[in-house]
Amino acid sequence: GRGIEDMGNVPVGSRVTLSQDMEAGRVGRVSFRGAMWDAVSDERIPAGSEAEITGVDEANRSCLKIKSVSRD
């Protein structure tokens, strides 16, 4: 795939949907632009939630950093 070279301009602020629970500090998988991506968060986010991209992991450029989005 061509995921890696796309990561130079990660759309910070874009929303992703979690297909599984994310545990704090552990890499999980999220769905974004029709593909599955590695992602990590410093908080627990339950499956089915929306999260917001905040950047990429410095150590692993193909891993998105995300945070939970509070629902109204």
Side-chain angles (χ1 to χ4, degrees), residues 40-43 45 50-54 65-69:
V40 67
S41 175
D42 34 9
E43 60 201 329
I45 312 175
E50 272 199 327
E52 184 177 305
I53 297 172
T54 61
K65 285 206 286 206
I66 62 172
K67 66 174 186 182
S68 65
V69 178

Side-chain angles (χ1 to χ4, degrees), residues 6-7 9-18 30-34 37 39-40 45 49-56 64-70:
D6 276 344
M7 295 305 288
N9 55 353
V10 172
V12 170
S14 289
R15 299 292 173 86
V16 296
T17 302
L18 275 59
V30 299
S31 173
F32 176 57
R33 287 182 177 159
W37 298 70
V40 67
I45 312 175
S49 298
E50 272 199 327
E52 184 177 305
I53 297 172
T54 61
V56 294
L64 301 172
K65 285 206 286 206
I66 62 172
K67 66 174 186 182
S68 65
V69 178
S70 52

